[in-house]
Amino acid sequence: MFDLLIKGGTLPDGRLADIGITGERIIAVGQLDAQATQVIDASGDLVSAPFVDPHFHMDATLSYGLPRVNASGTLLEGISLWGELRDMATVDDMIARALRYCDWAVSMGLLAIRTHVDTTPDHLHGVVAMLEVKRRVAPYLDLQLVAFPQDGLYRSATGRANLIRALDMGVDVVGGIPHFERTMDEGAASVRDLCRLAAERGLPIDLHCDETDDPMSRHVETLAREVTRHGLGGRAAGSHLTSMHSMDNYYVSKLLPLIAEAGLSAIPNPLINITLQGRHDSYPKRRGLTRVKEMQAHGIRVGWGQDCVLDPWYSLGTADMLDVAFMGLHVAQMTHPDEMRRCFDMVTVENAAIMGLEGYGLQPGCIASLVVLDAGSPTEALRLRPDRLAVVARGKLVAQRHRNDARMSLPDRPDRTRRRHTGGVA
C-alpha cells in the first residue's frame, strides 16, 4: 500500500515503469501491482526527476521596469539599474517577488534552485530576504544561496566583510565576480581569496567568471588552478565563461584540460548570454555562449542555468528550464539525438550534481520529487516545452494541469489534435 502511485509513465531512459511512494521517499520502481491512497495515471507520458536551476538571481526577479527599463540591453546598464533598485526595494518586496517566482517554478516542475544574492550593500536586505524565502519554501523546493558581491569583492571598502557576514548568517555557497574588479590583478586576487574562504569553511564555490566578450579575461584559468590547489573539485563551478567564445583556439586547447583536471563544473546561461553578449559587435556578431560541446568532450560537467526572469537584465522568462535547454540546444548547435538528450540531462541530473543535491533521482530510496510531462521522451519534451501534468514534491502532489489538446473544426479531420509525434528518433 503506497501513499502515492505514478502508473505507466515513461522514464527518461525509455523504460515504462510505475513509481510507488510512501512518505517523502520512492519505495519501488517497476511493474507494481499495488494499491495506493492516490494514483496518477501517467500512461504514455514522460516522468522525470524535477528540473534544477544552478544559476539564478532571485533577489532581483520580477522587478522588470524598476527603476526603469534597461534601454541599451547591456550587462553593465543592468548592473547599474540593480545598484539603484537594491537600495529602493524593501525586504518584504524581495520576499514577495521571490515567493511568487517560486510558485511559478513549482508549477513548472522546477524544484531546486541556486540563487546568487547580492552582498554589496551594508544593509544586506537581499540576504535577509532570501534566507526567509529559503525557510518558507523548504518543504517543497531546495533553495541554495550564493554570497555574491555584485560590484566586486574589492570595489567597496566593505565588500569582503559583507560577503563574510552573509556566510556567517547561513548563506550556503561562496560567490564572486573577478572580471568586474578594478584590474585583472585584483580579479585574480579575488579568485584566490574566495577559494581560500571556501576551503576554510568547507563550502562550495560558484563564481561569475569571465562574463565578457574580452578574450583576455581569463580568470577561469586562475579558478581552475585554485580549485586544484585547495581540493575543491566536485563542489566548484564557473558560471557564464562567455569570454571563451572569443579566445584563441590554441589557448583554449590548454585551458580545457586544466578545467577538467580541476573537476570544475561550468554553468552557461544561454537565454542571458545570447541576449547580453556581443552588444558591441556589428557583424559578424558573436553568439555569447561558452564552448559547451568542447568542454563536454573533455569530460567537464556542464549544466544550463536560467540566470534571470523579468529583471534589469532580461525582460522575459517563465521559470521553464526547458526554455533554457531549448535555447542552449540551438545556440550550441546540439542537434544530434544524443546531444539533444544531453541537453535534457543538463537541466535535470547534471544540474543536480553541480548543486550536490542528495537523494535526487527516480530510484528506490530517492526523495519523492518528480514531474509528469505531456511528452513521450526527453527530446520531445525539448521540442514541445509541454504542460506539466503533475508535479510531486517530497511525496506531495503540489501542482496539476489538465491536458490541453486543441479542439479543431476542420472538414474530414479529427476534432482534437496535439503536437505529440511518435515517429522518428525518440
Side-chain angles (χ1 to χ4, degrees):
M1 182 74 181
F2 297 111
D3 294 333
L4 179 61
L5 183 62
I6 314 297
K7 288 290 293 181
T10 301
L11 305 188
D13 62 9
R15 288 181 295 149
L16 299 179
D18 308 326
I19 299 175
I21 295 168
T22 297
E24 293 191 355
R25 295 283 171 173
I26 295 174
I27 302 301
V29 177
Q31 303 307 309
L32 305 178
D33 184 15
Q35 300 296 312
T37 304
Q38 189 174 18
V39 177
I40 296 174
D41 182 6
S43 301
D45 296 320
L46 179 65
V47 179
S48 171
F51 295 107
V52 178
D53 181 4
H55 189 103
F56 195 63
H57 291 267
M58 197 172 287
D59 49 358
T61 197
L62 307 191
S63 65
Y64 179 67
L66 299 175
R68 58 193 168 279
V69 168
N70 182 340
S72 69
T74 62
L75 172 65
L76 293 181
E77 184 176 351
I79 291 174
S80 177
L81 288 171
W82 170 243
E84 297 178 46
L85 178 58
R86 70 189 175 201
D87 288 328
M88 294 167 45
T90 67
V91 170
D92 288 343
D93 289 339
M94 285 187 275
I95 290 173
R97 288 191 280 100
L99 287 175
R100 187 179 179 203
Y101 181 79
C102 289
D103 292 344
W104 292 9
V106 170
S107 76
M108 302 307 291
L110 170 55
L111 299 183
I113 301 172
R114 173 181 284 181
T115 181
H116 295 252
V117 184
D118 192 357
T119 60
T120 300
D122 292 342
H123 55 64
L124 292 183
H125 286 170
V127 175
V128 173
M130 294 307 108
L131 284 168
E132 174 61 16
V133 172
K134 179 179 178 177
R135 184 190 68 80
R136 293 196 199 181
V137 303
Y140 52 86
L141 190 151
D142 288 311
L143 186 61
Q144 288 183 2
L145 308 183
V146 184
F148 177 52
Q150 173 73 77
D151 290 357
L153 190 67
Y154 301 142
R155 270 184 176 250
S156 68
T158 56
R160 188 178 188 278
N162 286 346
L163 180 138
I164 291 172
R165 285 173 57 207
L167 296 175
D168 290 342
M169 291 166 68
V171 172
D172 310 286
V173 183
V174 176
I177 185 168
H179 55 279
F180 203 60
E181 301 292 348
R182 287 188 177 87
T183 66
M184 288 288 188
D185 286 345
E186 285 195 342
S190 77
V191 174
R192 291 190 287 269
D193 194 355
L194 293 164
C195 285
R196 277 194 303 271
L197 274 172
E200 290 167 1
R201 290 174 174 255
L203 295 176
I205 185 167
D206 185 342
L207 303 187
H208 284 58
C209 204
D210 303 324
E211 188 185 2
T212 171
D213 293 325
D214 180 4
M216 301 309 294
S217 183
R218 297 177 172 183
H219 294 300
V220 66
E221 180 183 73
T222 304
L223 178 58
R225 179 68 190 98
E226 295 303 303
V227 166
T228 299
R229 185 193 307 278
H230 292 287
L232 296 171
R235 55 189 172 101
S239 291
H240 295 292
L241 306 181
T242 58
S243 65
M244 204 182 295
H245 69 205
S246 302
M247 288 177 180
D248 175 78
N249 287 334
Y250 179 80
Y251 173 71
V252 173
S253 73
K254 169 202 170 186
L255 177 62
L256 294 182
L258 291 177
I259 296 173
E261 176 190 41
L264 178 67
S265 297
I267 308 172
N269 301 282
L271 291 169
I272 311 307
N273 296 155
I274 196 67
T275 301
L276 296 181
Q277 303 308 129
R279 288 277 179 166
H280 298 284
D281 293 353
S282 53
Y283 288 93
K285 202 171 187 66
R286 285 168 286 188
R287 289 174 175 267
L289 191 71
T290 195
R291 303 191 187 205
V292 174
K293 292 200 289 186
E294 291 84 351
M295 284 194 284
Q296 291 176 331
H298 278 77
I300 298 165
R301 173 167 277 129
V302 185
W304 299 124
Q306 169 79 69
D307 199 6
C308 303
V309 168
L310 289 167
D311 67 11
W313 296 274
Y314 189 59
S315 55
L316 302 169
T318 61
D320 187 351
M321 291 305 292
L322 287 175
D323 280 348
V324 177
F326 187 74
M327 174 63 82
L329 180 159
H330 284 80
V331 180
Q333 298 179 326
M334 297 176 70
T335 53
H336 186 277
D338 292 343
E339 293 173 336
M340 291 191 287
R341 167 58 198 272
R342 195 183 310 146
C343 283
F344 187 88
D345 289 345
M346 289 167 67
V347 292
T348 52
V349 294
E350 294 298 316
N351 281 347
I354 288 171
M355 286 182 58
L357 298 179
E358 296 182 359
Y360 178 90
L362 296 180
Q363 297 78 38
C366 288
I367 294 171
S369 295
L370 55 83
V371 56
V372 181
L373 299 106
D374 190 3
S377 70
T379 52
E380 187 172 60
L382 285 166
R383 179 175 68 84
L384 297 175
R385 281 93 70 219
D387 287 339
R388 279 57 164 173
L389 301 176
V391 179
V392 175
R394 297 186 176 273
K396 305 290 187 185
L397 181 62
V398 293
Q400 214 167 6
R401 183 177 282 121
H402 293 296
R403 201 180 303 276
N404 192 25
D405 296 349
R407 292 175 175 82
M408 309 292 287
S409 298
L410 298 174
D412 303 320
R413 299 302 300 155
D415 61 357
R416 288 176 178 265
T417 190
R418 66 176 66 172
R419 296 171 299 146
R420 298 273 293 265
H421 179 61
T422 56
V425 179

